[in-house]
Amino acid sequence: MKVVYLDNNATTRVADEALEAMLPYFSTLYGNPSSMHTFGGQIHRKIEAAREEVASLINAEPEEIIFTSCGTESDNTAIMNGLEAMPGKRHIITTSVEHPAVLNFCRRMADKGYKTTFLPVDKLGRLKPADVEAAVTDNTAMVTIMYANNETGVIFPIEEIAEIVKSKGTLFHTDAVQAVCKIPIDVKKTPIDMLSISGHKIHAPKGIGVLYIRKGMRFTPYMIGGHQERGRRAGTENVASIIGFGKACRLAGTLLHKENSKLRALRDRLEEGLLRSCPDARINGDSANRLPNTSNMSFEYVDGEAILLKLNEDNICASSGSACASGSPEPSHVLKAIEVPYTAINGSIRFSLSRYTTDEDIDMVLERMPVIIKELRDISPFGRNPVK
Ligand code: PLP
């Protein structure tokens, strides 16, 4: 049965081209890239070619790219490394809407005695660069701020923020897991010291990530052991996934602009249709400055979990920022931070599109959602005439 998959910020399908490139590395090309013999040595060269593809996507140098196991490892490593590189400084700045890979690591550092500032955002999910500037002190070791938000898609002004942070002599890391391959990123134009990427968000496999680290920056490895990744990340390389990652980056680089216009058109059609057909619906976040593939909408007086279950019956996959679907009984910290009203926060749904999303997928959601919302409101204790 056909699945309408609109949960691409959670994970993406591996591109056929990436899968095809990976397959030989599970069978005939299984050598260890660290081996002295030619059979293994040839794999080393393939890894370096993949590294070049990743580097070129963000205009970095290949030696600035370290392969990790995921976006979370890249984020944790970057923060730990930033703090090690600035001994004596005990202050971290981040935002209140980061992914848990950053948020919880910063909280851990707070438990260990670091002063941690979680900057607020406004009701559209926007961050003011002036707030970042005002928060930096002589004691600030590093600033870690995401490029684009995974729940709302809101893009932060990272170019401006990075300039401010660097002008103060502080380290800057950005979690670009949701931004890479969706918007152009150029680390030569923007003074970013460290940047995180995750394979499974960009049509590469799960279990592979990248940390970009600017040339010349002091680096303390997180994973200690062998000499892999120039001694910066020990452990035998995840060869097949690295090859898939390289291929996915090459594809994304060539398709980025074309895909963006297609995704934006599909996403906007979805939102306009739902706003028209479902009363009391709203878009969460700054609709003018978002990732082209992401839509976070609230349908007031309905439970997001119930909407997801109904969509699931039609094989439509989306996600909810509300409760148990995210593994937490609490409403989304991002939607709370942007002060989505309590009548709407529980009825929030994130639709996230990809290059494989079709017009028919959008038609299907546009057909089913008004019916689902009406059905749920009819059985809701608030009914269709809620007390506002
Ligand atoms: N950062 C952001 C913004 C994300 O959306 C995610 C995953 O959803 C991560 C980090 C973690 O990436 P991974 O799943 O590769 O550990």
Side-chain angles (χ1 to χ4, degrees), residues 2-3 11 15 26 31 51 82 90 103 105 107 111 119 136 150 154-155 157 172 175 183 215 221-222 268 281 283 313:
K2 181 175 162 45
V3 171
T11 199
F26 292 108
R51 198 185 306 280
R90 308 281 295 171
L103 214 49
F105 199 87
R107 287 185 184 133
D111 290 345
L119 294 170
V136 179
N150 44 303
V154 172
I155 301 168
F172 184 65
D175 173 347
I183 53 175
K215 215 186 313 189
Y222 189 50
D268 291 352
I283 297 170
E313 285 169 13

Side-chain angles (χ1 to χ4, degrees), residues 41 44 49 66 74 81 118 121 175 180 205 235 237 254 286 297 311 320 352 357 377:
H44 178 73
I66 302 173
S74 300
N81 183 55
F118 297 95
V121 292
D175 173 347
V180 164
E237 297 86 342
T254 52
D286 181 11
M297 294 187 73
L311 287 172
S320 145
S352 48
T357 306
R377 283 192 180 142

